[in-house]
Amino acid sequence: MKPHKTLRQRILKIGFYFVLLIIFIYLLFPFYWAINSSLKTEAQLQMTPATMVPRDPATGEISPTLQNYRVVFDNQQFIRGIVNSTIIAFSTTALALIAGSFAAFALGKLRFRGKKPTLYLILAMTMFPQVTVLAGLYAVIRALSLPALISLILSYMIFTLPFTTWVLTSFFRGLPLALLESAQVDGATPFQTFYKIMLPLTAPALVTTGLLAFIAAWNEYLFALTFTSIEPTARTVPVAIAYFTGAVARQEPFGEIMAAAVLVTVPIVILVLVFQRRIVAGLTAGAVKG
């Protein structure tokens, strides 16, 4: 029985790593294909069958090019989109963390009537599709004559703030109540307790929710496309990429689009790699303690 059990464990282990490899390839292949396409010329992109690496159409030798990246960096519309996206994403993240941390502290540690209905209402707000509020929100923003950048920041708060509040609430709830009681005994005000004691302990959760909010604001396309339709200078980078045009009529600059996609993805990948330990700590701590 023992050899059969050992053989079964080996088969299960091999099957597990095989499935893991399939998932790994499935997740990373689109990013690899974007890099591969961004290093090809127009002639190389039209080769059939498509090649896994950039190859010269005549000789078949590997010949990558950085021409698409040069064209993208020379595109002022793309550079302006990077700046706009950076401003909007950082502003949205900062506002969501500030407001969300205050709300989460109140919902997680303070006692007041209507706390559970408030939590359920916040959770319900995350379930609505963005398109359901787009038309009404656009009409309100037009009526208030708000600039596109400010309107985008306020609009992104609709789906980043409820998520931030919900995640941070579970984390605050998991912190020992003795910390709050000790601070009250020492004469600390509720704000001092929140700012000097509770908030530093939530650093992993702040990094996790902040990064997810930043990614959501950085990648958002529908609101940005709608609100910048009358103010082209405020276009974010996803919208700017969508408006890429070729050198001639009806030409789709696929290589330039892939190069721009790689450039806007790299900062997100770097942020995740830098803060990966805090991200995991924030997610697991909130799950275990809540």
Side-chain angles (χ1 to χ4, degrees), residues 169-182:
T169 297
S170 63
F171 198 91
F172 273 106
R173 189 182 297 163
L175 295 177
L177 188 61
L179 293 173
L180 187 62
E181 295 173 347
S182 299

Side-chain angles (χ1 to χ4, degrees), residues 188-206:
T189 63
F191 178 76
Q192 289 175 331
T193 304
F194 163 75
Y195 179 70
K196 294 185 177 181
I197 298 175
M198 294 295 186
L199 195 60
L201 295 175
T202 63
L206 290 173

Side-chain angles (χ1 to χ4, degrees), residues 41-121:
T41 62
E42 189 72 23
Q44 291 171 333
L45 288 170
Q46 294 178 359
M47 291 175 61
T48 52
T51 57
M52 299 299 293
V53 292
R55 294 186 180 276
D56 187 274
T59 62
E61 297 180 354
I62 298 177
S63 57
T65 178
L66 296 177
Q67 179 61 29
N68 292 321
Y69 290 92
R70 297 190 190 97
V71 173
V72 168
F73 279 118
D74 290 337
N75 190 328
Q76 295 302 315
Q77 179 182 348
F78 176 78
I79 301 300
R80 191 184 301 113
I82 288 283
V83 174
N84 292 336
S85 290
T86 302
I87 295 173
I88 292 171
F90 273 109
S91 301
T92 302
T93 303
L95 291 175
L97 288 179
I98 293 172
S101 59
F102 276 108
F105 174 70
L107 293 169
K109 284 301 177 187
L110 303 183
R111 296 179 180 178
F112 58 91
R113 289 184 178 180
K115 184 163 70 172
K116 277 192 175 181
T118 302
L119 279 171
Y120 291 138
L121 179 62

